[in-house]
Amino acid sequence: MRSLILNNIINTRRNLNLVLQHVKILREGQAYSTSVPLLPDPAALKILPENDIKEFNSYYPIVRNDIVTNKLVSDIPKLNERLERMLDYNAKEGRKLRPYLMIATYKYFTNEEDRTPENIRLMNILGWFIELMNAAYVMQDDIVDNSETRRGKPTWFKCKDVGINAVFDASLIESTCIQLLKTHFSAHKNYNKMLDAFLEMLRMTRVGFVVEAATVFDEFSEDLYYVIAQHKMGYYLLQFTTTLGTLLANKEDLMICQKAGRVFNELGCLYTIQVSQNCHLILF
Amino acid sequence: MRSLILNNIINTRRNLNLVLQHVKILREGQAYSTSVPLLPDPAALKILPENDIKEFNSYYPIVRNDIVTNKLVSDIPKLNERLERMLDYNAKEGRKLRPYLMIATYKYFTNEEDRTPENIRLMNILGWFIELMNAAYVMQDDIVDNSETRRGKPTWFKCKDVGINAVFDASLIESTCIQLLKTHFSAHKNYNKMLDAFLEMLRMTRVGFVVEAATVFDEFSEDLYYVIAQHKMGYYLLQFTTTLGTLLANKEDLMICQKAGRVFNELGCLYTIQVSQNCHLILF
């Protein structure tokens, strides 16, 4: 477990010690202090080698096509056009941290002979479902935060012909990915658990959205901050992605390891503090 | 199949003939005419006897409590309060057509000895999950339609301290119901199919929302109208509810009967035309 965090998330033993210092500060209720060096920005970490990234990106047109032309929506040209436009606008240019973490986890838990062309194909498709769900998450997060721009262009809901309909665009992406998961993975021994991880991610991030959206500034407390960080970051960035990686690799250890969940929550909280202090957008 | 529609949805053979006349008019592309008498308003039909309705309503506090205090959110008082308030505001006073259709279907397909106290309990809980999902649907539908009032009070998103956050409130209700379904029904032989029916309902209604929201008035066509009616009404009011009733009763006939799906789509379209001509809110 420590080793997985070391290799795929934090990268060096020095950083793990740093994490533990931060966790200690946080749990002892001390005021957060910059006297302890910041954790490395996960967006700046090299999670995957260039070749894997290139391969992953080559699957985007395949998965987009799958979503836009799947038989359930293929007779509604208006919907196909809109799906194509919203995916290109929102999903292509993300940082792709979550699929990379899932892929790194999958590779960590498998041997060369497990990684058949078919398994690599499934791994990349699963990665894109994670990334498309994240595009939907980001579209909604921008609404909660009333953000004007993202990645140098207007946020989707600020586009003049979108507005509040961004909400339904986002939930259509989510629903379609959830149903297409079945198409590709229903034969996988861990399919039910993979589906459950997606559904639990949706619930956890909704808890984060609702608590954040319903909190007015003067009520804000450290406890609420922790709840939001735990749901929107600890679970979603770390536990969700590594759980899917282990499930795809036919390993279940990580998911049932409660200690891992606690470590991820602490890490999520720390990253949230850091990105709040630096740049809010850095992790998406 | 005809008999189920007759008994639980349309009620008399005379009405079925009426449906067939309407279907014929619609499919032949004739302009819709009021010279054929309207179908009976399903909201005015007596779907369940009074005792069943009373019993169903007695389960509301149990299911609400289940959602508000389930262990996953029990340590966030702010969230518990908000969930309680939004459920009471949005879910208590609906017409409950969908759970009643599910219950009527379940009873139609079971014998007295199948309806043990435990099975009746599960039936009522499933009914409330359907109704709470519908409350979430209605909260979102009011946003797409920019509706001011519903059931004699402001719509949830028009309440002064809610606004756009209604979107996340609604999706939190959906996510929580989906995850609590597992708590109550994971031991049921048809659990995976029941879950799939909920997920497909979410996808179908999203298609309806997105097509409706993305359609500007002068582009509106009969085809698009049919798509919206089919997704938001035919599937959601009729196919979804009767599928769940048959699955709960351990019958699967209805779900795999494509003809039933087509009949439901036509019926859904007809009802949509009628409620558009009368009162938009009548079915919720």
Side-chain angles (χ1 to χ4, degrees):
Chain A
M1 190 55 241
R2 279 167 67 112
S3 178
L4 176 72
I5 294 176
L6 276 169
N7 288 326
N8 293 332
I9 302 167
I10 307 301
N11 241 10
T12 70
R13 178 164 293 276
R14 189 189 67 78
N15 287 330
L16 184 62
N17 289 332
L18 207 55
V19 168
L20 295 176
Q21 276 184 65
H22 282 266
V23 170
K24 193 160 172 286
I25 288 171
L26 197 80
R27 298 324 291 158
E28 288 174 358
Q30 294 174 33
Y32 190 76
S33 153
T34 49
S35 67
V36 179
L38 290 179
L39 296 173
D41 169 10
L45 290 178
K46 210 76 199 129
I47 300 172
L48 290 183
E50 274 309 318
N51 276 349
D52 287 7
I53 291 176
K54 213 171 144 184
E55 184 190 66
F56 177 70
N57 284 326
S58 74
Y59 276 82
Y60 173 71
I62 298 166
V63 175
R64 187 190 71 165
N65 197 45
D66 196 13
I67 289 194
V68 174
T69 65
N70 82 78
K71 70 176 169 41
L72 298 164
V73 296
S74 63
D75 53 350
I76 315 173
K78 183 160 200 76
L79 189 65
N80 302 354
E81 286 159 34
R82 185 156 182 111
L83 271 167
E84 197 165 304
R85 193 177 138 224
M86 73 173 95
L87 291 178
D88 282 352
Y89 195 91
N90 294 290
K92 259 168 98 172
E93 294 153 16
R95 287 179 180 265
K96 309 186 180 82
L97 271 187
R98 287 165 187 77
Y100 293 171
L101 283 171
M102 182 280 287
I103 290 172
T105 309
Y106 173 78
K107 294 208 160 178
Y108 184 86
F109 279 117
T110 49
N111 301 316
E112 196 62 40
E113 64 263 33
D114 299 323
R115 299 196 281 272
T116 60
E118 173 58 7
N119 284 342
I120 291 294
R121 190 184 73 84
L122 287 174
M123 175 196 80
N124 283 302
I125 288 175
L126 184 65
W128 272 108
F129 285 153
I130 294 172
E131 186 60 12
L132 297 184
M133 295 293 266
N134 189 53
Y137 171 91
V138 162
M139 288 156 79
Q140 294 172 84
D141 199 48
D142 284 340
I143 298 172
V144 188
D145 293 342
N146 195 24
S147 304
E148 292 287 336
T149 59
R150 175 173 294 271
R151 300 176 202 131
K153 57 188 185 185
T155 53
W156 179 245
F157 93 108
K158 292 281 182 185
C159 291
K160 74 173 172 24
D161 58 342
V162 179
I164 186 58
N165 297 335
V167 167
F168 305 106
D169 292 339
S171 67
L172 178 61
I173 293 176
E174 290 170 348
S175 294
T176 309
C177 286
I178 290 284
Q179 288 301 69
L180 285 178
L181 203 64
K182 187 172 58 182
T183 316
H184 292 283
F185 296 94
S186 61
H188 193 288
K189 150 170 123 54
N190 283 336
Y191 166 68
N192 285 338
K193 287 179 180 164
M194 288 160 75
L195 174 61
D196 193 56
F198 274 94
L199 296 176
E200 183 61 3
M201 177 276 282
L202 285 175
R203 198 192 63 78
M204 290 289 274
T205 51
R206 266 62 195 161
V207 169
F209 280 143
V210 170
V211 174
E212 188 176 3
T215 301
V216 291
F217 193 75
D218 57 2
E219 279 180 10
F220 206 76
S221 68
E222 208 179 303
D223 279 355
L224 278 181
Y225 193 90
Y226 191 70
V227 164
I228 295 167
Q230 182 182 338
H231 285 78
K232 290 180 68 178
M233 186 80 79
Y235 183 83
Y236 181 34
L237 176 67
L238 304 172
Q239 194 164 355
F240 169 62
T241 54
T242 49
T243 294
L244 282 175
T246 50
L247 288 173
L248 187 68
N250 284 316
K251 299 280 187 296
E252 298 178 32
D253 320 27
L254 193 62
M255 207 182 50
I256 54 166
C257 174
Q258 292 198 343
K259 195 170 171 188
R262 283 200 299 276
V263 172
F264 287 148
N265 282 338
E266 301 293 349
L267 273 172
C269 196
L270 287 167
Y271 280 135
T272 305
I273 291 167
Q274 289 192 184
V275 293
S276 304
Q277 286 180 336
N278 293 287
C279 170
H280 185 198
L281 307 179
I282 211 157
L283 283 181
F284 301 115
Chain B
M1 190 56 242
R2 277 166 68 111
S3 177
L4 176 72
I5 294 176
L6 277 169
N7 288 326
N8 293 332
I9 302 167
I10 307 301
N11 240 10
T12 70
R13 178 164 293 276
R14 189 188 67 77
N15 287 330
L16 184 62
N17 289 332
L18 207 55
V19 168
L20 296 176
Q21 276 184 66
H22 282 266
V23 170
K24 193 160 172 286
I25 288 171
L26 197 80
R27 298 322 292 156
E28 287 174 357
Q30 293 174 34
Y32 190 75
S33 153
T34 49
S35 67
V36 179
L38 290 179
L39 296 173
D41 169 9
L45 291 178
K46 211 74 200 130
I47 301 172
L48 290 184
E50 274 308 319
N51 276 349
D52 287 7
I53 291 176
K54 213 171 144 186
E55 184 189 66
F56 177 69
N57 284 326
S58 74
Y59 275 83
Y60 174 71
I62 298 166
V63 175
R64 187 190 70 166
N65 197 45
D66 196 13
I67 289 195
V68 174
T69 65
N70 82 78
K71 70 175 170 40
L72 298 164
V73 296
S74 63
D75 53 350
I76 315 172
K78 184 162 198 75
L79 189 65
N80 302 355
E81 286 159 34
R82 185 155 181 113
L83 271 167
E84 198 165 303
R85 195 178 137 223
M86 72 173 95
L87 291 178
D88 282 351
Y89 194 92
N90 294 289
K92 259 168 97 172
E93 294 152 15
R95 287 179 179 263
K96 309 186 180 82
L97 270 187
R98 287 165 187 77
Y100 293 171
L101 283 171
M102 182 279 288
I103 289 172
T105 309
Y106 173 78
K107 294 207 160 178
Y108 184 86
F109 280 116
T110 49
N111 301 315
E112 196 61 40
E113 64 263 33
D114 298 324
R115 298 196 281 272
T116 60
E118 174 59 7
N119 284 342
I120 291 295
R121 190 184 73 85
L122 287 174
M123 175 196 80
N124 283 302
I125 288 175
L126 183 65
W128 271 108
F129 285 152
I130 294 172
E131 186 60 11
L132 297 184
M133 295 294 264
N134 189 53
Y137 171 91
V138 162
M139 288 156 79
Q140 294 172 84
D141 199 49
D142 284 340
I143 298 172
V144 188
D145 293 342
N146 196 24
S147 305
E148 292 287 336
T149 59
R150 176 173 292 272
R151 300 175 202 131
K153 57 189 186 185
T155 54
W156 180 244
F157 93 108
K158 291 281 181 185
C159 291
K160 75 173 171 25
D161 58 343
V162 179
I164 186 58
N165 297 335
V167 167
F168 305 105
D169 292 339
S171 66
L172 177 61
I173 293 176
E174 289 170 348
S175 294
T176 309
C177 286
I178 290 284
Q179 288 301 68
L180 285 178
L181 203 64
K182 189 172 56 183
T183 316
H184 292 283
F185 296 94
S186 61
H188 193 288
K189 152 170 123 53
N190 283 336
Y191 166 68
N192 285 338
K193 286 178 180 164
M194 288 161 76
L195 174 62
D196 193 56
F198 274 94
L199 296 176
E200 183 60 4
M201 177 276 283
L202 285 175
R203 198 192 63 77
M204 290 288 274
T205 51
R206 266 62 196 162
V207 169
F209 280 143
V210 170
V211 174
E212 187 176 4
T215 302
V216 291
F217 193 75
D218 57 2
E219 279 179 10
F220 206 76
S221 68
E222 208 180 303
D223 279 354
L224 277 182
Y225 194 90
Y226 192 70
V227 164
I228 296 168
Q230 182 183 338
H231 285 77
K232 290 181 68 178
M233 187 80 80
Y235 183 83
Y236 182 34
L237 176 67
L238 304 172
Q239 194 164 356
F240 170 62
T241 54
T242 49
T243 294
L244 281 175
T246 50
L247 287 173
L248 187 69
N250 284 315
K251 299 280 187 296
E252 298 178 32
D253 320 27
L254 193 62
M255 207 182 50
I256 54 167
C257 173
Q258 292 198 344
K259 195 170 172 189
R262 283 201 300 275
V263 172
F264 287 149
N265 282 338
E266 301 293 349
L267 273 172
C269 197
L270 286 167
Y271 281 135
T272 305
I273 291 168
Q274 289 193 185
V275 293
S276 305
Q277 286 180 336
N278 292 286
C279 169
H280 185 199
L281 308 179
I282 212 158
L283 283 181
F284 301 115

